[in-house]
Amino acid sequence: MAGSTSHEDPFEGEPPESIGSAHPVPPPSVQNNHSTSLENRTSGPTDRDTGGTHWNANSYFSPHGNDKPPDSPTKFAHGARSPADLLRRLSLVDNGRPMTPEPDPRVAHPGLNLSGGIISATFCIPHSVGFKSGKKWDLKSRRGTSALFDSFSHLSDSETPWDHTLVGWTGEIKPVEDLPRPPKSPPPHAPIAGMSLNKIVSTPLNKASAPVPIDGSTRAPTPQPHGEGIRITKEDRRCLEDQLRHDEGGKIVPVWLLDEVDEANGDAVLKDQTKWRRYAEHEIYTLFHYKQHEPTDGRAERRWWADYYRMNQIFADRILEVYKPGDIIWIHDYHLLLLPSMLRQRLPNIYIGFFLHIPFPSSEFLRCLSRRKEILTGVLGANMIGFQSFSYSRHFSSCCTRILGFDSSSAGVDAYGAHVAVDVFPIGINAAAVSRTAFGNHTIEAKIARIRNQYPGQKIIVGRDRLDTVRGVSQKLMAFEMFLERYPQWREKVVLIQVTSPTSVESEKEDAAHKIASKISEMVQKINGLYGGLEYTPVFHFPQYISRDEYFALLRVADVGLITSVRDGMNTTSLEYVVCQKDNHGPLILSEFSGTAGSLSNAIHINPWDLGGVAEAINLALTMPLSVKKSQHGKLFKHVTTNTVQMWSNNYIKRLLTNLSSFDQSIATPVLDKAKLLTRYRQAKKRLFMFDYDGTLTPIVKDPQAAIPSDRVIRTIKTLASDPRNAVWIISGRDQAFLDEWMGHIAELGLSAEHGSFIRQPKTEDWENLTEKTDMSWQKEVMEIFQHYTERTQGSFIERKRIALTWHFRRADPEYGAFQARECKKHLENTVAKKWDVEVMNGKANLEVRPTFVNKGEIAKRLVNEYGHEEGEPPEFVLCLGDDFTDEDMFRALRGTTLPPDHVFSVTVGASSKQTIANWHLLEPSDVIASVAMLNGAAKAGDIGAVAVVDALRA
């Protein structure tokens, strides 16, 4: 995923066959001598040449040895009584010890009816794509997220029980030009001297992407003019799909994000390809890394949001093209935060996992994001959400509670009637492949020798970062300057080699990147001017990509690894450094703000903002006794080679399946699909709307008489009702007087009072009593019981309607009021309800007694049956919204009609934990009004994306 800070591919210019192998090698988790076992494991005669993980037909977890294992996670989870209990049981499984091989997932979880398929969704495919019409597509390995791509290769391994498919965007497609062949890189024996750019760094693969010129004789590729774009035929697109379907790393299905499509011949035009990144990388990425932009008028953000929404919708469409019932969908990172909910809207019982590879901010920062609600509800469409560290998962749960009002705990979040598990899965690397690449390579050995000859008798500190503000390169240089100032004995005895590769994040490529580059350059010059001379240069800075061999040579030759990121996901450079130091045992200095810090507890943790502390840590690392270095590195090495990316993939899927088996996910109600709602609304000519009042059009308040509609509510409902194609009704528990006072002036509006006891047709002022002949003698006995509890519950009161009696306890103490309500209901059910044909209903902080034949469902059926001027004219669009138990009668009645299901939108409003028979969910009355306003053509900023999707379909 371009733009992710989580897993970086630090080199460029050589295909990483051994790093991103399609058949990764498992870690030697059961061997004692970690310094030698990794190489023995990867080169021994019993291993496959491709290094495939050792699986068997009945196991989807790698076998680990012959020690007596604990029970399996499935057995640990069996009988869990709550989400917290499930989390506690799973935490008892010792991941570091051997585990009994689990059976095939379809056997271990028979109730899930798994198909054996996994569809991974990531923003970009593992290839950079070049295009020349009529020729084979040019595919090169994409920079960044190498650990994630290793995970995909692992899941595609033929020895796993999974049929894996990767769905991702092609990325920006670049035209391939016939360019002069670039000059060859210096031969392996070329000396390394001076400050020349080629001193350590070889020519990068893409010269146009380097921040400084590499070779003036080579012409950079010239992109096609922005206005014309790139035209790709339907046949060319089919050709790329065929290439990717048979990719050696596993089956890939590309997502086409197109600006225009010629319907006559199927030709597609690509113009502004970077627009699909803008919202994610300008807004989400920056804020999730605790950075904020200057305030703007919001116009650009609205366009970016529409593109972001459309892009997620296109991903959902593409996934559903290849989805089979029983498949698992695993979605990755911040570009696709809306995708889980969009898939859930289309297939309510789909199995979805989501993993965020970058940090997640605290609620104070997330509140600054204008689309915060849409982002949170989007990702909550998943069954399980994974994070790199516990602090990120805690922030997410807190945001769901503080921003959405959802109940949450350490085990997860209660959302839309179901439980969404939240857990922590620190990602690893393919340690065996890294070791195999870094050791035993003659080119790397030669580079190591030359680097050591270049700095004889000097300690080497190595840093490798992207040119992002969150990487802390400036903090690193300032701390190194302070180190040389405070510890003069190390002058001329230590050098810092800092490699800074260009950023891949859109927001960082703009003005900020140039400022950072200039600042770093000035700091390097300052340090070298203060403490350097003709024979000694303290800092060597290389602002470009380096090859894989040079990267591993640096990691192996280093005496200290220094990572000072100020906000980071999972920095895999630290993990690769640990593997490469298996002989040298160099200490690792690691920022406590890196997502890796929680996993690498034996590293030297520093606060990059405490420059003095970093300087002290550098001195500590350089003076550390060999025995201490060996001890600390041994622990780090064991962790990195045990907790690999293969183990990460297995553990995530294992935990997802356990959660799916432990909780009934079928009761979840997805958030309202506004794009589908708008599409059906525009297609229909005969439309019926039914709204509850309290809790649906207006928020619940302590004083019922204070729940008056706002000007916006009245304007929105009036606009909706003024369309002659719309029949709009408010069906409320309120009495006639209240509805007449506040909504009666809208002549086109139909009203129903007291849960269907009274009805007022549009364009009339007369109420029809549907319960005229009903015996109301039961009211006297109910009034006595209500009075009894009112006297004993401070703050409660009785509301007398013409048909029903309601006891309110909104103003009472919440806990005591709820207790008294339960007692009162028992009293009524054991007395009045047994003698009269009445029912006792729980409402929002109230109890209501009414005749059993009076309910909103009867009114809903009547309105559907009587729609139009003649019999047999059913509505083509029905939107019914309500928030409490009485509104379930309307939803139930609509299910019993003969209307096509895709014509009916039953929507419950309110608490996330509510279980309902409605088909859709909205959080609060403001969402109801926003949805109706969207239908009226006045969409707010958060709904621009849904409108853009519908408009694109019409175009």
Side-chain angles (χ1 to χ4, degrees), residues 85-127:
D85 186 32
L86 175 66
L87 188 66
R88 180 189 66 78
R89 289 167 178 258
L90 291 174
S91 69
L92 297 176
V93 181
D94 184 356
N95 289 327
R97 291 181 56 194
M99 190 177 297
T100 302
E102 295 266 353
D104 182 280
R106 284 165 286 193
V107 176
H109 303 277
L112 299 180
N113 296 317
L114 297 173
S115 66
I118 292 181
I119 300 174
S120 294
T122 186
F123 181 54
C124 288
I125 63 175
H127 304 290

Side-chain angles (χ1 to χ4, degrees), residues 117-424:
I118 292 181
I119 300 174
S120 294
T122 186
F123 181 54
C124 288
I125 63 175
H127 304 290
S128 296
V129 180
F131 169 70
K132 190 166 187 179
S133 183
K135 293 189 177 181
K136 189 175 181 181
W137 291 75
D138 183 36
L139 303 180
K140 292 184 173 65
S141 297
R142 183 179 297 277
R143 298 189 302 270
T145 62
S146 57
L148 180 61
F149 295 155
D150 282 346
S151 169
F152 299 150
S153 295
H154 166 67
L155 293 173
S156 299
D157 193 307
S158 60
E159 293 192 14
T160 72
W162 302 112
D163 176 18
H164 181 258
T165 301
L166 174 61
V167 176
W169 179 38
T170 58
E172 290 86 352
I173 296 175
K174 298 180 181 179
V176 176
E177 306 229 352
D178 295 325
L179 300 176
R181 184 179 297 276
K184 295 182 179 179
S185 301
H189 57 274
I192 303 176
M195 285 293 290
S196 168
L197 198 64
N198 286 318
K199 182 178 63 171
I200 292 182
V201 185
S202 66
T203 303
L205 181 65
N206 181 0
K207 297 181 176 58
S209 66
V212 292
I214 303 301
D215 182 2
S217 64
T218 303
R219 180 169 59 89
T222 303
Q224 292 178 265
H226 179 79
E228 298 177 10
I230 303 173
R231 181 169 290 273
I232 303 175
T233 67
K234 191 173 183 180
E235 185 59 34
D236 285 328
R237 298 201 300 275
R238 188 180 297 114
C239 177
L240 178 61
E241 292 179 6
D242 289 340
Q243 277 184 249
L244 295 175
R245 188 179 301 114
H246 302 98
D247 188 77
E248 62 180 11
K251 183 167 60 178
I252 299 175
V253 175
V255 174
W256 297 97
L257 300 178
L258 309 173
D259 291 285
E260 299 173 9
V261 177
D262 188 334
E263 301 219 352
N265 55 25
D267 288 359
V269 177
L270 304 176
K271 292 182 179 179
D272 184 10
Q273 297 187 67
T274 59
K275 71 180 182 181
W276 308 108
R277 298 178 178 273
R278 289 193 184 121
Y279 188 83
E281 298 182 7
H282 280 260
E283 301 296 315
I284 298 176
Y285 176 90
T286 51
L287 189 132
F288 279 30
H289 286 84
Y290 287 167
K291 298 189 296 178
Q292 287 181 275
H293 297 299
E294 293 294 325
T296 66
D297 60 10
R299 296 179 193 173
E301 286 81 356
R302 286 167 70 95
R303 291 195 306 271
W304 298 344
W305 172 255
D307 292 332
Y308 184 76
Y309 189 101
R310 275 189 62 204
M311 183 257 292
N312 277 261
Q313 192 75 56
I314 293 169
F315 262 83
D317 294 340
R318 190 62 159 151
I319 288 171
L320 293 179
E321 288 176 12
V322 298
Y323 172 81
K324 307 182 301 294
D327 282 355
I328 296 170
I329 313 295
W330 190 0
I331 302 168
H332 295 270
D333 227 5
Y334 63 100
H335 292 90
L336 303 176
L337 288 167
L338 303 182
L339 185 55
S341 183
M342 289 179 172
L343 290 171
R344 180 76 57 202
Q345 289 166 347
R346 309 272 280 277
L347 293 173
N349 295 323
I350 195 171
Y351 303 143
I352 303 175
F354 181 89
F355 190 85
L356 185 67
H357 294 259
I358 64 172
F360 196 90
S362 65
S363 60
E364 289 79 6
F365 256 83
L366 191 68
R367 286 179 188 276
C368 300
L369 188 67
S370 57
R371 304 275 70 81
R372 58 187 185 256
K373 228 162 85 169
E374 290 84 353
I375 292 296
L376 288 174
T377 55
V379 75
L380 283 171
N383 299 105
M384 186 176 79
I385 304 168
F387 295 92
Q388 298 278 14
S389 73
F390 176 71
S391 62
Y392 304 158
S393 69
R394 185 182 69 243
H395 286 163
F396 177 79
S397 297
S398 174
C399 286
C400 291
T401 298
R402 294 173 183 271
I403 295 174
L404 300 180
F406 289 4
D407 292 333
S408 66
S409 66
S410 58
V413 180
D414 292 332
Y416 307 114
H419 176 74
V420 178
V422 176
D423 217 330
V424 179

Side-chain angles (χ1 to χ4, degrees), residues 414 596 822 908:
D414 292 332
T596 326
R822 290 192 295 271
T908 191

Side-chain angles (χ1 to χ4, degrees), residues 681-682 684-689 715-728 746 748-749 763 867 935-937:
Y681 176 82
R682 289 180 175 178
K685 303 301 179 185
K686 297 181 289 184
R687 310 160 181 150
L688 174 61
F689 294 83
R715 287 197 311 270
T716 303
I717 295 297
K718 190 171 184 177
T719 303
L720 187 72
S722 65
D723 189 329
R725 294 169 293 184
N726 297 341
V728 184
I746 305 176
E748 300 85 359
L749 186 64
K763 299 182 180 180
Y867 184 88
L935 300 181
N936 289 337

Side-chain angles (χ1 to χ4, degrees), residues 6 168 211 320 405 416 439 648 659 661 707 746 756 871 936-937:
S6 311
L320 293 179
Y416 307 114
F439 293 89
W648 173 77
N659 277 289
S661 296
I746 305 176
E871 291 294 327
N936 289 337

